Amino acid sequence: MLSTIGYYICVPFAALMRLFYNLTGSYGVAIILFTLVIKLILLPFQMKSKKSMIRMSRMSGKIQEIQKKYANNQAKMNEEMQRFYQEEGINPMSGCLWSFIPFPILLALYYIIREPIVYFMNFGGRAAGQAVVAAAKEMIQGAGIELTANAAYEQIEIAKIINSQFPDFIAQHEGWVNVDYHFLGLDLTAQPSSAFGQLSGGVSWMLIGLILIPIVSGALSFLLSKVTMSQNKMEGSAAASGKMMMWMMPLMSIYIAFIMPAALGVYWIAQSALSIVQEAVMGRFYTNKLEAEEAARYEAREADRKRRQEEARILQEQQRQQAAQKQSLKEKRKAAQEAKAAKAKKAATSTTEAGRVGDRPYARGRSYKADRYDSEQE
C-alpha cells in the first residue's frame, strides 16, 4: 500500500525529469532544470512564508517584552502572544513548514535515480516496471553477466548493461529510456564515498569531482543558512536554535551527498544556489515593503490619535460652552429674582403708594409720609 502511494507521489517528478532529459540529453542539466521548476512552483508559498518570517523577526523586540511581562503567567502570555500574532498578521509556524519541503522532493528524486526502470522510465505502473526489471535481469544473467551492485542500486547497473549491450531488449520495450548519467565528466550514479578508495589507483577529475560535490553542497548550504539568519534576526532560545541549524543543515547535506548517488548532490547544490538568490531578493524586497507598511501603519495610528484628540478637544469645548450657558442662565434667573424682590421692597415703601387716595396716586403728594412729624413732636 505504502509503496503504491510512494510510486504515485514520484510519478509527476519522474515525468518532469524525463521531459527535461529528453529535451536536453543531459542528466545533470535535467536535474538543475527540475530543481528550478520545483522552486518556481513553490515560490508563491515561500514568498508568503518569507514575509511572515521577516515580519516576525522585526517584531522580536515586542515578543520579548510580552514574554518578560507575563513570565510568571504562562496562560496570559500565550493569550497575549496569540493576540499579537493576529493583530500583526504573523504565522509563527509558516516559516518552519516550507523549510522542510525540499526533503520529500529529495526523497522522491532519490527513488527516481535509484530505480530508473520503475520510476524514471514509463511502463504504465509499478508492477509493469518491476516486470521489465525482472525480464532485463533474466536476460543479463542468461548472458553470463554478473551483477555486482548492491540491491539498492541494482536497477542502475541493469539499465547501464542493457543500454550498452542489449539494443534488441530496448526495441522490445516501449518506454525504455537510454539514460546517460554522465555530467561534466562525472558519473552521477556513483557515490562520492567510493571515490576515496579509488584514489590509490590514481587521481582523476572524475574522482576529484565526486569528492567536491558534497563539499560544495555543504558550503552552499552553510551560505544559505547565513543569508537566512542575517535577514531573520532572532534573540534568546530562537537565536541558539538558529545557530544550531546553521551548522546542522550543512553537515547533513555533506553526509547525504557523500553516501548517496552524486546526482542527489547536484540537486542539493542547485537547490541551495537558487535558494540563496531567492532569499537575498525576497529578503530585500519584503524588508523594504514591510518598512513601508509599518511607516504607513504608524502614520495611520498618528492620524487616528490626532483625530481622537481633536474630537476630545471639540467635545470638551462644547461641554465648557454648555456649562457656561447654564451658568449664564442661572445668573440671569438669580438677577431677575433679585430685581423682582427689590422692586417689591421698593413698592412697599414707595411715596407714590403712601400718597395714594383711591385712584389718585398723588392725591397727598409725591413725598407724603404719614409719620413724618411724629419724631419731631416727641
Side-chain angles (χ1 to χ4, degrees):
M1 180 66 179
L2 291 176
S3 61
T4 303
I5 295 173
Y7 172 80
Y8 284 108
I9 291 174
C10 292
V11 164
F13 297 115
L16 193 60
M17 275 286 294
R18 190 167 58 249
L19 170 65
F20 288 134
Y21 180 78
N22 291 332
L23 289 174
T24 64
S26 171
Y27 200 75
V29 174
I31 290 175
I32 294 171
L33 292 176
F34 169 85
T35 310
L36 177 61
V37 170
I38 294 298
K39 293 292 288 183
L40 292 175
I41 291 172
L42 297 177
L43 183 60
F45 307 101
Q46 291 176 336
M47 289 175 68
K48 185 177 180 180
S49 171
K50 185 65 177 178
K51 183 178 180 180
S52 180
M53 288 179 67
I54 293 179
R55 177 172 286 164
M56 189 169 180
S57 175
R58 295 177 65 85
M59 298 297 173
S60 60
K62 294 183 178 179
I63 293 173
Q64 291 288 329
E65 289 179 5
I66 294 173
Q67 291 174 342
K68 290 179 181 178
K69 185 176 180 180
Y70 301 103
N72 299 324
N73 190 341
Q74 188 68 31
K76 183 64 175 178
M77 183 177 70
N78 293 336
E79 181 183 344
E80 290 298 321
M81 291 286 287
Q82 190 65 30
R83 182 182 295 111
F84 176 73
Y85 289 148
Q86 291 177 351
E87 290 176 354
E88 296 296 334
I90 297 174
N91 182 0
M93 297 302 296
S94 62
C96 301
L97 174 64
W98 295 107
S99 63
F100 290 103
I101 289 295
F103 290 99
I105 298 173
L106 182 71
L107 185 62
L109 187 61
Y110 169 67
Y111 279 100
I112 293 168
I113 295 168
R114 194 187 79 170
E115 302 180 30
I117 300 173
V118 172
Y119 291 101
F120 185 75
M121 304 177 194
N122 184 18
F123 291 108
R126 180 177 176 82
Q130 289 175 334
V132 174
V133 172
K137 188 174 181 180
E138 183 179 353
M139 177 171 284
I140 291 170
Q141 291 174 341
I145 301 173
E146 183 180 354
L147 297 174
T148 58
N150 61 44
Y153 301 107
E154 186 179 66
Q155 287 190 33
I156 294 176
E157 186 180 11
I158 291 172
K160 287 182 177 180
I161 295 172
I162 293 294
N163 290 336
S164 61
Q165 301 184 36
F166 298 95
D168 293 340
F169 184 88
I170 297 174
Q172 293 171 5
H173 293 83
E174 185 179 356
W176 186 278
V177 181
N178 191 345
V179 184
D180 181 7
Y181 289 101
H182 288 83
F183 176 62
L184 299 178
L186 306 177
D187 184 3
L188 297 184
T189 62
Q191 296 168 267
S193 58
S194 66
F196 291 103
Q198 301 175 34
L199 287 174
S200 58
V203 178
S204 66
W205 162 244
M206 179 176 290
L207 299 179
I208 297 299
L210 286 175
I211 295 172
L212 284 175
I213 285 176
I215 296 173
V216 174
S217 173
L220 288 177
S221 182
F222 179 78
L223 182 58
L224 174 60
S225 299
K226 289 284 287 183
V227 171
T228 304
M229 285 193 65
S230 66
Q231 295 174 350
N232 303 328
K233 297 179 180 179
M234 295 176 286
E235 299 178 1
S237 60
S241 300
K243 287 182 180 179
M244 184 180 67
M245 290 296 293
M246 184 178 70
W247 290 102
M248 183 183 295
M249 292 297 291
L251 292 175
M252 186 170 64
S253 70
I254 291 173
Y255 175 73
I256 291 175
F258 260 117
I259 65 172
M260 299 292 184
L264 283 178
V266 172
Y267 164 77
W268 205 300
I269 289 171
Q271 197 272 337
S272 296
L274 292 172
S275 295
I276 290 170
V277 176
Q278 176 182 290
E279 288 291 312
V281 173
M282 288 200 306
R284 181 175 299 178
F285 172 76
Y286 281 118
T287 298
N288 295 335
K289 184 175 181 180
L290 288 174
E291 285 178 354
E293 288 180 359
E294 288 171 8
R297 282 202 301 270
Y298 176 77
E299 291 177 359
R301 284 196 296 265
E302 284 295 304
D304 183 64
R305 183 178 65 83
K306 291 179 180 179
R307 179 185 59 79
R308 286 186 282 106
Q309 286 180 342
E310 182 64 19
E311 290 178 351
R313 188 190 64 78
I314 293 173
L315 179 62
Q316 187 178 13
E317 181 64 21
Q318 290 176 346
Q319 291 174 346
R320 188 189 65 77
Q321 292 177 355
Q322 290 175 357
Q325 289 177 355
K326 289 181 179 179
Q327 183 67 21
S328 178
L329 289 173
K330 190 174 181 180
E331 290 175 353
K332 286 181 179 179
R333 287 197 196 96
K334 185 177 180 181
Q337 290 175 354
E338 290 176 352
K340 186 176 181 181
K343 185 176 181 181
K345 183 177 179 181
K346 182 179 179 180
T349 58
S350 171
T351 55
T352 301
E353 293 300 319
R356 176 185 296 274
V357 176
D359 292 334
R360 296 179 296 161
Y362 305 111
R364 296 193 178 101
R366 292 180 179 272
S367 301
Y368 175 76
K369 291 179 67 175
D371 57 349
R372 178 183 297 275
Y373 300 106
D374 293 347
S375 58
E376 294 179 2
Q377 292 174 357
E378 293 175 359

